[in-house]
């Protein structure tokens, strides 16, 4: 891992954890010496990418706001995804989301909540490891071999075997489904969104309490797959 990778790893770690962190914790989670982590944090502080809190902890800095604004205002994928997700939730009456792969995590970049009182607790900005769950498995199944290898580099052999199991079936069916792999009692379906050149851009996911999916899992999976295909066509 080069100096740039170490610096970016610190920034991503702060974003993913969602809470201020000490230099020691950041160094441990990114597998680098404390002195190296501290040096990179000083550079990130100078550029406004990181802020220092009382007590010697660090959090994302003010420039993160500018990055978020640029992503939301100038990203065609996100702008087209909102009406597609809204329509999917209207049809299914379940929560829908758009997730993207960020190295070894799946990041939720858009979310439309189910109108029903009992719904899945998920939100924009939430991350999960690319290991289990419909969203993670759909991303793993359809990303390039190089991206998949990068996503699983730091995983144990057992974790790699678990993550890679069944990906051929997902590719053949065009959709991944899961039940209780992340949260107990939650069913999910995820389908890939491709660019005009056939490159994986994201996945669309539907999440619902298991009690509401009985007798309609195939239909929900089909609606998810159709919405992902429609979003890909809008990007062309």
């Amino acid at each position: 891992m080069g100096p740039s990778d170490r610096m970016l790893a610190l920034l991503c770690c702060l974003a993913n954890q969602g809470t201020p962190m000490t230099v020691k914790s950041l160094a441990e989670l990114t597998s680098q010496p404390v002195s190296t982590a501290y040096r990179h944090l000083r550079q990130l502080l100078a550029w406004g990418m990181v802020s220092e809190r009382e007590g010697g902890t660090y959090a994302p800095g003010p420039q993160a706001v500018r990055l978020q604004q640029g992503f939301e205002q100038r990203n065609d994928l996100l702008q087209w995804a909102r009406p597609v997700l809204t329509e999917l939730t209207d049809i299914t009456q379940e929560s829908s989301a758009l997730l993207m792969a960020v190295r070894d995590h799946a990041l939720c970049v858009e979310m439309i909540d189910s109108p029903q009182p009992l719904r899945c607790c998920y939100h924009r900005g939430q991350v999960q490891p690319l290991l289990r769950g419909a969203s993670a498995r759909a991303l793993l199944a359809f990303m390039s071999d190089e991206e998949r290898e990068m996503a699983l580099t730091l995983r144990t052999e057992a974790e790699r075997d678990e993550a890679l199991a069944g990906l051929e079936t997902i590719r053949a069916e065009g959709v991944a489904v899961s039940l209780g792999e992340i949260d107990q009692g939650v069913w999910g379906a995820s389908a890939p969104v491709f660019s005009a050149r056939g490159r994986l851009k994201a996945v669309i996911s539907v999440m619902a309490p298991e009690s509401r999916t009985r007798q309609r899992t195939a239909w929900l999976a089909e609606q998810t797959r159709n919405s992902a295909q429609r979003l890909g066509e809008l990007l062309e």
Side-chain angles (χ1 to χ4, degrees), residues 76-85 87 98 191-204 223-236:
D76 290 341
L77 173 64
L78 192 60
Q79 292 181 20
W80 282 115
R82 286 169 179 150
V84 171
L85 292 176
E87 181 182 26
L98 182 76
V193 177
F194 294 106
S195 69
R197 296 184 178 181
R199 183 174 178 82
L200 177 68
K201 301 291 289 184
V203 295
I204 280 183
Q223 297 304 316
T224 305
R225 187 169 49 232
N226 291 344
S227 293
Q229 181 178 350
R230 184 157 57 255
L231 178 54
E233 292 170 350
L234 290 169
L235 296 176
E236 296 181 7

Side-chain angles (χ1 to χ4, degrees), residues 81-142:
R82 286 169 179 150
V84 171
L85 292 176
T86 299
E87 181 182 26
L88 180 58
T89 291
D90 287 343
I91 292 171
T92 64
Q93 292 293 289
E94 304 297 351
S95 299
S96 63
L98 182 76
L99 295 99
M100 302 178 71
V102 182
R103 200 175 179 89
D104 59 350
H105 283 75
L107 169 66
C108 178
V109 295
E110 187 59 281
M111 179 82 191
I112 304 296
D113 284 326
S114 166
Q116 305 193 64
L118 178 61
R119 56 180 180 262
C120 301
C121 295
Y122 212 76
H123 58 82
R124 291 177 61 194
Q126 188 166 333
V127 294
Q128 64 186 64
L130 283 174
L131 286 175
R132 59 184 64 90
S135 300
R137 295 182 60 72
L139 286 167
L140 284 172
F142 293 99

Side-chain angles (χ1 to χ4, degrees), residues 8-122:
L8 291 172
L10 290 169
L11 195 57
C12 288
C13 189
L14 280 174
N16 291 342
Q17 293 298 315
T19 183
M21 302 179 67
T22 63
V23 179
K24 182 179 179 181
S25 296
L26 283 165
E28 290 176 350
L29 288 172
T30 56
S31 301
Q32 56 184 296
V34 171
S35 59
T36 301
Y38 182 77
R39 184 171 67 253
H40 290 319
L41 284 170
R42 303 317 295 179
Q43 290 179 277
L44 291 169
L45 276 167
W47 283 92
M49 301 303 297
V50 165
S51 60
E52 187 173 6
R53 306 294 181 87
E54 292 185 10
T57 59
Y58 295 84
Q63 283 290 1
V65 176
R66 300 290 300 275
L67 286 173
Q68 180 184 4
Q69 290 175 340
F71 177 74
E72 292 182 346
Q73 295 172 5
R74 299 176 179 86
N75 190 287
D76 290 341
L77 173 64
L78 192 60
Q79 292 181 20
W80 282 115
R82 286 169 179 150
V84 171
L85 292 176
T86 299
E87 181 182 26
L88 180 58
T89 291
D90 287 343
I91 292 171
T92 64
Q93 292 293 289
E94 304 297 351
S95 299
S96 63
L98 182 76
L99 295 99
M100 302 178 71
V102 182
R103 200 175 179 89
D104 59 350
H105 283 75
L107 169 66
C108 178
V109 295
E110 187 59 281
M111 179 82 191
I112 304 296
D113 284 326
S114 166
Q116 305 193 64
L118 178 61
R119 56 180 180 262
C120 301
C121 295
Y122 212 76

Side-chain angles (χ1 to χ4, degrees), residues 108-209:
C108 178
V109 295
E110 187 59 281
M111 179 82 191
I112 304 296
D113 284 326
S114 166
Q116 305 193 64
L118 178 61
R119 56 180 180 262
C120 301
C121 295
Y122 212 76
H123 58 82
R124 291 177 61 194
Q126 188 166 333
V127 294
Q128 64 186 64
L130 283 174
L131 286 175
R132 59 184 64 90
S135 300
R137 295 182 60 72
L139 286 167
L140 284 172
F142 293 99
M143 64 175 48
S144 68
D145 293 341
E146 182 181 357
E147 291 169 327
R148 190 180 305 108
E149 182 61 32
M150 182 182 296
L152 299 176
T153 296
L154 301 179
R155 302 302 176 185
T156 65
E157 184 176 352
E159 287 175 330
R160 288 175 63 91
D161 290 344
E162 178 186 7
L164 295 172
L167 296 190
E168 286 293 339
T169 300
I170 294 171
R171 282 190 282 268
E173 296 180 351
V175 64
V177 296
S178 66
L179 175 59
E181 291 186 16
I182 302 244
D183 296 308
Q184 186 176 1
V186 174
W187 181 91
S190 297
V193 177
F194 294 106
S195 69
R197 296 184 178 181
R199 183 174 178 82
L200 177 68
K201 301 291 289 184
V203 295
I204 280 183
S205 300
V206 164
M207 294 159 279

